[in-house]
Amino acid sequence: MVTAPDSGRLTSFDAILGQNFQPGQSMGKIDNMDGYKLVAQVDEFYLERLAEGQKGEVEFKGRVLPVSVTKILPEVKNGRFQAELQFEAGQGKELQQGLSLGVKLILSAKQKSVVLPKGAFHQETAGKWVFVVSGSTAERRTIRTGRENPFYHEVLEGLKPGERVVTSSYSQYTEIEILHINK
């Protein structure tokens, strides 16, 4: 006699004819078909910044579906930990089991800041200085960067909104103070 702890669809059933199981031993996996749960692999850097109830979003077929963090599994393996997320009420009904989706988690409130696109310049300067364009020249200027994401560096000091910056490699210009730009 075999009983399951919950009702649902039996998946990952690996039993072989004649195989013996001990009481309490797992025989397979039962998927609850009442909704979907997302499991996200998150870099350990964000462990302290993530909390249950935090909001996020998933893009699926051109639509943005809201999700929220329901559980954090803080065990770090290979530099990552797991977070379980759930779709907001009535969302995600058209999904299929086993899909891989990108999740954007909202880790802080929106705020205005000066940002600089990521570029090869950062390899030589480590975010300490940039060439700021003014007319046909670009002058070296000290800056201080803060947070970053995959696309931008936040600039805390040294740049004003709207100023243009050379973001290509500075490998040949590390000792130069002013660049003359020819179009």
Side-chain angles (χ1 to χ4, degrees), residues 32-100:
N32 185 331
M33 302 311 287
D34 292 339
Y36 291 100
K37 171 177 70 172
L38 297 175
V39 178
Q41 299 289 327
V42 184
D43 190 279
E44 67 182 319
F45 174 79
Y46 300 103
L47 183 58
E48 291 182 12
R49 297 176 63 188
L50 200 61
E52 290 182 14
Q54 215 157 359
K55 302 296 182 196
E57 55 189 36
V58 172
E59 189 172 327
F60 179 70
K61 291 186 178 179
R63 292 183 32 227
V64 175
L65 306 174
V67 296
S68 60
V69 177
T70 56
K71 188 176 188 181
I72 298 170
L73 306 166
E75 181 182 357
V76 176
K77 292 180 183 175
N78 297 324
R80 297 188 175 278
F81 68 96
Q82 286 188 345
E84 293 181 0
L85 301 103
Q86 198 159 18
F87 288 96
E88 298 295 324
Q91 299 291 326
K93 298 289 185 190
E94 66 279 358
L95 296 174
Q96 299 174 13
Q97 186 176 351
L99 288 175
S100 292

Side-chain angles (χ1 to χ4, degrees), residues 166-182:
V166 177
T167 58
S168 60
S169 174
Y170 292 178
S171 62
Q172 298 178 13
Y173 311 117
T174 55
E175 302 299 321
I176 307 250
E177 292 293 320
I178 296 178
L179 292 175
H180 296 281
I181 301 171
N182 294 327

